[in-house]
């Protein structure tokens, strides 16, 4: 009798451990990093500052700091930073962040989150993962965590490489604020870090919508395309002044809030609104996506 108990106890522990460690984060992270899609996304973010540096080298210094006709605060700030990008290394880094923080990062977020479940379905591996067994919500949660980690790592890599390339090319001077003072190098690094964090919060809505669409669609291209389409539509509506305060509910309305850290003085109200808006949209889209996925028929 004791022998039976001794033999069943380890089996019970193994079963419990297996259920607890099913679909671990590190395994999914390794799976994602093994895919060329993810590698290409990360490579683009790392190489972008080098491409911008070469473009500035080939194009030469700008003719005037007042040239260009932006249609909004973000494009106006970007135009000013183009003229000042070669003043110092951190100003160059700020310009790279300005250049990429809009549509490019939205597309990258759409690709990472849109492929989570729809990609497994298109590769016919979703049913296999759920029969290991992996609870549906745990599968979704791990994939969201991995996609978020990859996106955040890419943003940090972009900022770090931009600073390194800028310092090597233009020295350790601080950010030159358009029509304002030049910051110290330490202050500039802090502002770049805060701008990167704010830019990441501005992508929360895209992450949430990508989570919803990836469980609704059976194609990762359709899921990613849906995020991009919503982004375009939101930006178009946000450019219509007659909509007034209705525009504040648009997911991209505060997408340029990170600009505040490249201005003087810094207005933290848009930054707080960006974080709040991103969290609200991420929770709403994510909750609907989790509800849909828990009830979705994947037998077909």
């Amino acid at each position: 009798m004791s022998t039976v108990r001794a033999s069943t106890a380890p089996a019970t522990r193994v079963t419990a451990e297996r259920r607890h460690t099913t679909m671990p984060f590190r395994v999914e992270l390794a799976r994602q990093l093994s895919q060329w899609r993810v590698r290409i996304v990360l490579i683009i973010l790392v190489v972008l500052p080098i491409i911008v540096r070469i473009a500035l080298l080939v194009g030469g210094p700008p003719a005037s700091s007042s040239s260009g006709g932006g249609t909004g605060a973000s494009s106006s700030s970007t135009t000013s930073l183009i003229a000042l990008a070669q003043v110092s290394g951190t100003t160059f880094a700020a310009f790279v962040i300005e250049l990429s923080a809009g549509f490019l990062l939205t597309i990258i977020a759409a690709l990472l989150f849109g492929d989570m479940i729809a990609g497994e379905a298109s590769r016919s591996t979703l049913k296999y993962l759920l029969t290991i067994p992996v609870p549906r919500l745990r599968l979704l949660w791990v994939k969201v965590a991995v996609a978020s980690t990859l996106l955040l790592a890419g943003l940090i890599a972009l900022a770090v490489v931009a600073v390194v390339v800028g310092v090597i090319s233009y020295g350790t001077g601080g950010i030159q604020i358009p029509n304002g003072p030049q910051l110290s190098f330490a202050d500039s690094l802090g502002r770049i870090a805060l701008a990167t964090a704010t830019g990441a919060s501005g992508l929360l809505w895209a992450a949430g919508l990508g989570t919803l669409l990836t469980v609704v669609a059976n194609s990762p291209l359709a899921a990613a395309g849906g995020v991009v389409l919503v982004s375009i539509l939101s930006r178009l509506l946000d450019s219509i002044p007659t909509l007034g305060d209705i525009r504040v509910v648009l997911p991209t309305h505060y997408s340029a809030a990170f600009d505040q850290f490249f201005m003087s003085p810094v207005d933290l109200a848009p930054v707080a609104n960006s974080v709040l808006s991103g969290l609200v949209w991420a929770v709403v889209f994510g909750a609907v996506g989790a509800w849909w996925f828990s009830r979705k028929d994947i037998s077909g």
Side-chain angles (χ1 to χ4, degrees), residues 274-288:
S274 175
V275 174
L276 179 60
S277 175
L279 287 174
V280 169
W281 280 115
V283 169
V284 171
F285 287 140
V288 175

Side-chain angles (χ1 to χ4, degrees), residues 54-55 62 81 102 118 175 214 264 289:
I54 294 174
L81 283 174
I175 295 176
T214 195
S264 183

Side-chain angles (χ1 to χ4, degrees), residues 53-54 56 58-59 68-69 79 92 98 106 111 152 158 165 183-184 199 203 218 256-257 263 265 270-271 282 285 291:
R53 171 67 180 102
I54 294 174
L56 291 176
V58 173
T79 302
F92 170 81
E98 285 270 9
T106 301
L111 290 173
L152 184 59
L158 172 68
V165 172
L183 307 176
S184 67
L203 295 173
N218 291 321
M263 299 179 183
V271 176
F285 287 140
W291 173 84

Side-chain angles (χ1 to χ4, degrees), residues 14-54:
V14 170
T15 302
E17 290 175 0
R18 183 185 177 189
R19 289 176 179 175
H20 180 71
T21 58
T22 296
M23 196 66 182
F25 174 87
R26 65 181 182 278
V27 172
E28 177 61 20
L29 180 61
R31 288 182 69 242
Q32 292 301 317
L33 288 175
S34 67
Q35 298 184 21
W36 277 107
R37 168 186 55 83
V38 174
R39 293 179 182 179
I40 290 174
V41 165
L42 296 178
I43 290 173
I44 289 174
L45 292 176
V46 171
V47 173
L48 180 62
I50 301 175
I51 296 175
V52 174
R53 171 67 180 102
I54 294 174

